[in-house]
Amino acid sequence: MSLSFCGNDLKNSYSVEKGVLNNGCFVDALNLVPHVFLLFITFPILFIGWGSQSSKVQIHHNTWLHFPGHNMRWILTFMLLFVHVCEIAEGIVSNTYMKSNHLHLFLPAFMGFIAATTSVVYYHNIETANFPKLLLALFIYWVLAFITKIIKLWKFAEEGVGVEHLRFCITALLVVLYGLLMAVEINVIRVRKYVFFTTPQRVKPPEDLQDLGVRFLQPFVNLLSKATYWWMNPLIIGAHKRPIELKKIGKLPIAMRSLTNYLRLKDAYEEQRVRHAEDLDRTPSIWRSMYRAFGRPILLSSTFRYMADLLGFAGPLCIFGIVKHLDNKTEEVKMNKDLHFGVYFMSSMELLQNTYVLAVLLFLALVLQRTFLQASYYVTIETGINLRGALLAMIYNKILRLSTSNMSMGEMTLGQINNLVAIETNQLMWFLFLCPNLWAMPVQIIMGVILLHYLLGYSALIGASVIVLLAPFQYLIATKLADTQKSTLDYSTDRLKKTTEILKGIKLLKLYAWENIFCDSVLETRGKELTSLRTFAFYTSMSIFMNAAIPIAAVLATFVTHAYFSEFRLRPAEAFASLALFHILVTPLFLLSTVVRFAVKAVVSVQKLGEFLQSEEIGEDSWRNGDMSVSLDSCKKHTVTTKAINRKQRYKMDSYEQPMRRQLRPSETEDVAVKVSDGYFTWGTNTSTLSDINIRVPTGQLTMIVGQVGCGKSSLLLAMLGEMQTLSGKVYWSNCVHRIVPSVESSHFSNRYSVAYATQKSWLLNATVEDNITFGSPFNKQRYKAVIDACSLQPDIDLLPFGDQTEIGERGINLSGGQRQRICVARALYQNTNIVFLDDPFSALDIHLSDHLMQEGILKFLQDDKRTVVLVTHKLQYLIHADWIIAMKDGSVLREGTLKDIQTHDVELYEHWKTLMNRQDQELEKDTEIESQTTLERKTLRRAFYSREAKTHIDDEDEEEQEEEDEEDSLSTTTSRRSKIPWKVCWRYLSSGGFLLVFVVVTSKLAKHSVMVAIDYWLAAWTSSNFNTMEHKPIINSDHQSYVPVFIILCAAGIVLCLITSLTVEFLGLTAASNLHHNLLNKIIHAPLRFFDITPLGQILNRFSADTNIIDQHIPSTLESLTRSTLLCLSAIGVVAFVTPASLIALVPLAVAFYFIQKYFRVASRDLQDLDDSTQLPLLCHFSETAEGLTTIRAFRHEARFKQRMLELTDTNNTAYLFLSAANRWLEVRTDYLGAVIVLTAAVAAIWMSFYGLQSGLVGLGLTYALTVTNYLNWVVRNLADLEVQMAAVKKVDSFLSTESENYEGSLDVSQVPEDWPQHGEIKIQDLCVRYDPMLKPVLKHVNAFINPGQKVGICGRTGSGKSSLSLAFFNMVDVFHGKIIIDGIDICKLPLQTLRSRLSIILQDPVLFSGSIRFNLDPERTCTDDRLWEALEIAQLKNMVRSLPGGLDAVVTEGGENFSVGQRQLFCLARAFVRKSSILIMDEATASIDMATENILQKVVMTAFADRTVVTIAHRVHTILTADLVIVMKRGNILEYGTPQTLMEQEDGMFASFVKADM
């Protein structure tokens, strides 16, 4: 066939007799001119531009300027391209009706398509280069194109071509589009004035783009990049080379920062508050504020959603059209007589009858639908994140303003605040993500039902009603799921509590051989949890089953009723279109239940938030509302009122004593820093806690507040700081001029100084030691060093792994009480404030430290600075240093004055103090023992670190893999390492589920998917057979009778298999979870003691909390979803390949593309997921930290700094989350486009094959399946990525399962050990060598000793001399690698551990009690009678105390025995040792943490009650063993001296003698 532009079947093709413009072909040629012109001009410019750009491939984004009408131009260009595609299609189809080829029908359209594409590429490059002059070329193009199209349209009208002809409509559309584009171009000229004006406008890029830190470019890129997330490519592909870090994701654009959004929400909220001000009952509505602030993006998202949903129906309709027209291809379309200009003009219906056109339309509709859907998701997610940021800022501001009494009286607990932050804000965010579904779904369902009715008549309504009737069941299951999850959570919290307790007291449990008893109690709780999890699994599987079975049931109902009741045959076109429609309908119905559930939760969350925002705030009347309108909320749980915290005020009376200081401050009228007059203060109740307070705090002097526990000393400080509610009276703070603070003028003034304040209960930030001390003040080395020395923190800092850069606080290193307290005092000293309040800074310190702190810190450091100090203390020996003393009693001031005043005026009080002081001095002498409490604390710290460094945890493997020693080499290795799926771990997980279950799961899954395909194939065969017999014959013949029963059977089988698979997968997960937890618990409880020394407690607990939770609840559903979507995709591709083998060729490149997309995405997704998790924790911690340290923050006046920090943390977390969701969109857009290409290839191949006799039923089958691929491809990848993250939990648990257990067996059988062994208590130690680990040096070297039955033996020595190791050796807790210990003739290393440990008794240094009853603590095995227990309590001097408790022996012991004092706890431990009537008792430094009185009791008991037993005491204070029968002095693991105390005392230069001298 010859090709000619105007065709050669007409004689006058090229003649222009009737006038040039009356030749249609010439007009078409004229239309080519503008397109060719544009290509000629732009190509050189683009090539020159690209050539010069190659050096800087990525133009930096500060040049990205959008010209006016940017989005409009992109949208118009896309529409233009679509119209050109229609024009090309129309031309090609018309051409088929002509005798010879008429190129002018489609060539100009094709060139127009290329020119339009070029125009947008050209425009984009000009825009990035910000060179608008070049836009002139486009302007000329639009004008020329507009004119040529107008001519064409005018000629059409003359010739009588009208709206009924498609080509006329297309030309008219093009005229409109070119006209609009011309208008856009004129607008750019008008605004930018780049030509025709003398002064072009200078434009600056948006502020965000000038900031190189902003990496989230979604708001700034062009429309195409926005729709496809093209700008994410460098990030996602780069993740493969090296992990994504926080630096890489940069900062948020200004519009998305939480501060911006907070202001938007707050304005909306305040506006309502003002409006409802007169109406007291109405509180501002949070819903309305949210709508005001974030309503517009939600409407935009909903619009996208509607467009996507409507386009979604194009799929079934195109299938309907394609299959129907393939059926009718026999009837040849007659040639219409519509010839104008000698060529054929068709109507639009004729074009839509061409199957290839339908296939292309289907492809375009799919691409558009998916783009709109992803855009809708993205907009809602971005809005949700913005809302969350705004809510967090609102909550935080409220926290900073909460009144202290609210916290202490328990109206607002810390837990509630944490819930608001962690749960309620997220609920609202999720609700926002899902809310467009609320109004999109009903429309989708109604449209679907209408279309079904159009296709199938009334039988469709039956199928639809099946779906609608089953929807409430899904809602029911969803609510049940939520309830079950709650109860599961309760049980797992309970189990965690028990596990924590076991791990904290593991040493004691092992020494007493009680680990199995406690293990059983955890397993019992775990049993309850598993029952609850079983219910959870059942409901989950029901939900999955409903989702899979409902469409089968609906299809079954529909087609069977159609077969029996409809007079028309079921044809393939209707059958497969309705099948596709059913697929569409299921999704909204399944999601609806979820959305409704979230909506209910959101309502509850908003209610809670509203209550919180309305709760009481701190008094605004005082100096609070200063320059910073900062708000704050106090979350300290005070044990009511006694521990409250107070601000410092000093008052000077004896100014005559210090004339110097007066001259320094001539401006002050009176030398008073703070003065309280007639003060009555309360903690929120109407009774006043402090009454009739009149005090003054002298400036620049040391004021001490003394009094008994609970007399209101701390409350007085807090009252001065304005934390308490003032019933009456005034607090005056002196500024340069003495002012009354509550008056209004002064609040605009530098609202009272910032006060450096150290609370009684120390409060640390999660930060480095240095940050905790400087607390936001500039770092000054000299000052810092002085403070550290004054608080004697240097030795403690030296022990920390990174010195003062070590993280401490909740998530950091655990410090002891004394260390924490000294850091808090150091913070107060370091701050450069005039006033310092110290609330009992000595309470947790031993005597040396207190003295040092008093001398160096308070007297020297603070007084040298002339700072005003208020000190609350119990240590009366320091009163001599005080310039001014305030004595409190029962909430009022007893006395005020100097020590001299009190001595002269209140002799009685002075005497009372004197006796107390003497007593304290005596304690002082006793306190200088071998090791002070501080050395002990340092010892524990040292042990914790050095042992930790000894072993690198398995946990850190992943991090280590990524440490790159050698650049080139490491890149390849990390790449391969990071993109691998952990198959080994998956196998480990499945094998813990049991092989039988795995087998059942695999077979049932395969069977289910085969049956699903069989159902649809059968449908194809049935409908095709119907169709082939005859056109419209009534269904009297028996055709359908052979097909229907098989169809019913197949559907029933499908439904049953759905049920089986969904149940088996969930229960496989459950079995695996229960086995993994059981093994983990057993391994850990039976691990040697050394394991607990080197593994941080938090790490072990994480395995039991977070990781177990993932294994319990998340892995099964991910696994189910992954297998389902993978098998769906595979079966779909299988069907397509079966129907049209030719399309397999096209699938190969698609498969390659898919492989790379998923490979890159999985790595990037995992990194972003990690970033999201790791940035969430600091945010939550910051909230709880603020809530705990409210009074301190407010005293220091640091609210603004903390708010700033909160905004930074929120933004960081939001950035990570935004990138994560953008990455998900990136993946989904790409997989959706791949899916669309699969549909296109399948459609084209099927149409082509149908000319070679492919049944139309099979074409429908292939297309319906191809359509499902688009839905499931992205799920395959996302589930893979999720599973990879979740399998890490299995890997971590698995790493603990390889721990060695202790050898519990022993070589002797239990029956060989006498029942009453050891009956005498004779101990022989022969050449004993002990080490903690085969890798470490021995701690005891060749120790020999002999202890007679009933002897009292004392062992002493300096720290680290091996005393405690010896006590552990008796219990075989350490590695005895040489020598032996023989007790009553039996070598203990041969005994089973259970026997050995259950026959000896020990009292440890730290008393450990477990939650439960007193009876349980004394005798968990339940073997003793009550009399025996009472006897033991009596010996321990506890009988009367226990008697007075409610319940006696069954009285409650709280976690860790917190409801008893340390001394009482130690006595309980003694009673516990006595209950076990063992002939050997070992006391390991048991008196270290006890006051003198309790210690004397202990000594007495040991001498009397244990008179006939062997007692080995490891001494802390030497005087406790002076009465012993035998003393062993140890040094560096050897015995140095051995003998009776008397003989050892006589050796003047001996070690024991020197100890005793030091102790006297």
Side-chain angles (χ1 to χ4, degrees), residues 33 38 144 179 219 221 276 394 447 452 524 527 568 611 637 728 740 772 813 821 831 1045 1075 1144 1237 1343 1366 1424 1439:
V33 176
L38 181 74
L144 289 176
V221 290
H276 298 330
M394 262 184 108
M447 282 284 301
L452 274 172
E524 182 194 346
F568 292 114
E611 283 168 15
K637 299 181 185 161
S728 66
I740 301 173
N772 263 296
I813 301 297
Q821 192 164 30
Q831 296 303 308
N1075 287 340
L1144 272 180
V1237 177
V1343 173
L1366 183 58
C1424 303
K1439 190 170 179 181

Side-chain angles (χ1 to χ4, degrees), residues 77 92 94 148 150 206 223 243 363 444 513 520 537 709 715 738 779 831 1097 1151 1205 1212 1278 1391 1486 1553 1559:
T77 312
I92 292 176
S94 300
T148 51
I150 287 265
L223 208 61
F363 170 71
Q444 208 177 353
D520 293 343
V709 176
S715 298
H738 195 69
F779 183 76
Q831 296 303 308
L1097 178 70
R1205 175 94 181 113
T1212 315
R1278 284 186 63 179
L1391 284 170
D1559 202 25

Side-chain angles (χ1 to χ4, degrees), residues 1128-1141:
L1128 271 166
C1129 284
L1130 289 177
S1131 56
I1133 288 168
V1135 169
V1136 172
F1138 167 71
V1139 175
T1140 54

Side-chain angles (χ1 to χ4, degrees), residues 1321-1364:
E1322 173 193 73
I1323 304 174
K1324 266 192 227 154
I1325 302 176
Q1326 296 176 355
D1327 206 23
L1328 183 69
C1329 298
V1330 163
R1331 60 190 168 192
Y1332 278 101
D1333 193 82
M1335 314 297 295
L1336 300 176
K1337 291 200 192 88
V1339 281
L1340 292 180
K1341 302 164 209 156
H1342 307 294
V1343 173
N1344 287 290
F1346 179 74
I1347 300 170
N1348 285 316
Q1351 260 190 335
K1352 307 288 174 276
V1353 183
I1355 302 179
C1356 62
R1358 295 193 190 285
T1359 307
S1361 60
K1363 326 186 280 291
S1364 296

Side-chain angles (χ1 to χ4, degrees), residues 79-229:
M79 288 163 83
L80 185 65
L81 289 171
F82 177 68
V83 176
H84 276 312
V85 170
C86 295
E87 196 182 5
I88 297 171
E90 194 267 352
I92 292 176
V93 175
S94 300
N95 189 39
T96 57
Y97 292 103
M98 308 300 292
K99 295 195 182 73
S100 72
N101 281 327
H102 284 243
L103 292 185
H104 69 102
L105 289 178
F106 54 86
L107 194 66
F110 181 65
M111 290 304 287
F113 183 81
I114 291 179
T117 315
T118 313
S119 80
V120 79
V121 172
Y122 178 68
Y123 167 73
H124 174 68
N125 278 291
I126 292 172
E127 198 177 46
T128 40
N130 193 10
F131 199 69
K133 284 202 171 65
L134 291 174
L135 280 179
L136 212 52
L138 281 182
F139 179 56
I140 298 168
Y141 168 61
W142 300 134
V143 175
L144 289 176
F146 182 66
I147 293 170
T148 51
K149 283 286 180 258
I150 287 265
I151 295 172
K152 187 172 175 180
L153 197 63
W154 161 55
K155 284 296 157 196
F156 278 174
E158 269 186 358
E159 185 69 26
V161 177
V163 185
E164 69 278 6
H165 297 113
L166 184 60
R167 201 169 311 158
F168 179 85
C169 301
I170 288 178
T171 314
L173 269 176
L174 285 172
V175 170
V176 174
L177 286 173
Y178 284 133
L180 286 171
L181 281 161
M182 204 162 65
V184 168
E185 215 60 79
I186 293 172
N187 185 43
V188 177
I189 296 178
R190 182 184 68 77
V191 177
R192 292 293 299 269
K193 306 182 174 159
Y194 61 87
V195 292
F196 313 132
F197 289 100
T198 44
T199 52
Q201 188 198 13
R202 303 285 310 145
V203 188
K204 288 182 77 169
E207 197 184 325
D208 287 319
L209 291 182
Q210 294 173 9
D211 178 354
L212 301 188
V214 174
R215 302 278 164 80
F216 190 78
L217 304 175
Q218 183 74 4
F220 314 110
V221 290
N222 63 51
L223 208 61
L224 185 65
S225 185
K226 263 198 179 81
T228 57
Y229 304 90

Side-chain angles (χ1 to χ4, degrees), residues 598-818:
F598 267 103
V600 174
K601 281 186 182 173
V603 173
V604 177
S605 294
V606 165
Q607 195 181 342
K608 285 186 187 166
L609 251 176
E611 283 168 15
F612 175 71
L613 290 175
Q614 290 300 317
S615 63
E616 213 178 309
E617 301 188 359
I618 196 140
E620 288 290 348
D621 55 351
S622 55
W623 29 255
R624 285 244 159 240
N625 34 6
D627 341 335
M628 315 186 299
S629 49
V630 180
S631 58
L632 177 347
D633 157 25
S634 143
C635 312
K636 229 190 200 118
K637 299 181 185 161
H638 301 300
T639 46
V640 186
T641 77
T642 55
K643 279 199 188 158
I645 309 152
N646 300 316
R647 283 190 165 133
K648 303 174 180 151
Q649 341 209 13
R650 294 195 162 189
Y651 207 50
K652 278 221 165 106
M653 288 202 48
D654 341 344
S655 34
Y656 58 90
E657 285 178 9
Q658 293 173 322
M660 274 301 297
R661 291 202 182 159
R662 269 325 279 266
Q663 289 151 21
L664 290 174
R665 309 185 174 207
S667 62
E668 300 201 357
T669 50
E670 195 182 345
D671 236 346
V672 176
V674 191
K675 178 176 171 189
V676 182
S677 55
D678 302 328
Y680 286 83
F681 302 95
T682 174
W683 284 119
T685 48
N686 290 330
T687 58
S688 56
T689 312
L690 297 176
S691 45
D692 192 20
I693 302 287
N694 288 290
I695 56 164
R696 31 207 190 144
V697 174
T699 308
Q701 297 195 8
L702 171 58
T703 305
M704 288 198 189
I705 305 180
V706 291
Q708 282 174 313
V709 176
C711 67
K713 301 185 296 295
S714 299
S715 298
L716 180 60
L717 291 188
L718 280 181
M720 294 196 271
L721 287 178
E723 294 283 335
M724 291 180 74
Q725 294 175 15
T726 312
L727 293 177
S728 66
K730 299 238 172 81
V731 179
Y732 304 81
W733 285 81
S734 82
N735 289 358
C736 311
V737 183
H738 195 69
R739 285 205 182 214
I740 301 173
V741 173
S743 73
V744 183
E745 318 94 68
S746 71
S747 62
H748 296 297
F749 195 70
S750 76
N751 32 16
R752 80 146 173 71
Y753 310 123
S754 147
V755 169
Y757 171 51
T759 53
Q760 197 168 11
K761 179 170 178 266
S762 47
W763 171 73
L764 296 182
L765 290 173
N766 272 323
T768 60
V769 178
E770 183 188 301
D771 293 342
N772 263 296
I773 293 174
T774 55
F775 202 60
S777 302
F779 183 76
N780 169 340
K781 196 167 175 190
Q782 209 178 339
R783 186 179 177 85
Y784 181 71
K785 181 132 180 38
V787 169
I788 292 243
D789 289 344
C791 298
S792 34
L793 278 167
Q794 199 53 55
D796 303 276
I797 287 176
D798 293 341
L799 285 177
L800 294 171
F802 308 109
D804 59 6
Q805 297 307 311
T806 312
E807 289 263 333
I808 54 176
E810 272 176 61
R811 286 173 305 134
I813 301 297
N814 293 333
L815 300 178
S816 67

Side-chain angles (χ1 to χ4, degrees), residues 1114-1123 1279-1280 1282-1283 1286:
H1114 297 84
I1115 295 185
S1117 48
T1118 313
L1119 205 58
E1120 201 286 327
S1121 185
L1122 177 66
T1123 46
N1279 288 323
L1280 249 187
D1282 286 350
L1283 191 67
Q1286 290 165 4

Side-chain angles (χ1 to χ4, degrees), residues 70 100 177 310 317 329 346 360 397 416 488 513 610 824 1171 1229 1237 1250 1319 1397:
H70 168 92
S100 72
L177 286 173
L310 293 178
L317 291 176
K329 62 174 178 278
M346 57 165 42
V360 175
N397 270 350
Q416 275 170 302
T488 313
C824 290
L1171 278 182
V1229 167
V1237 177
S1250 70
Q1319 57 276 54
R1397 291 173 186 173

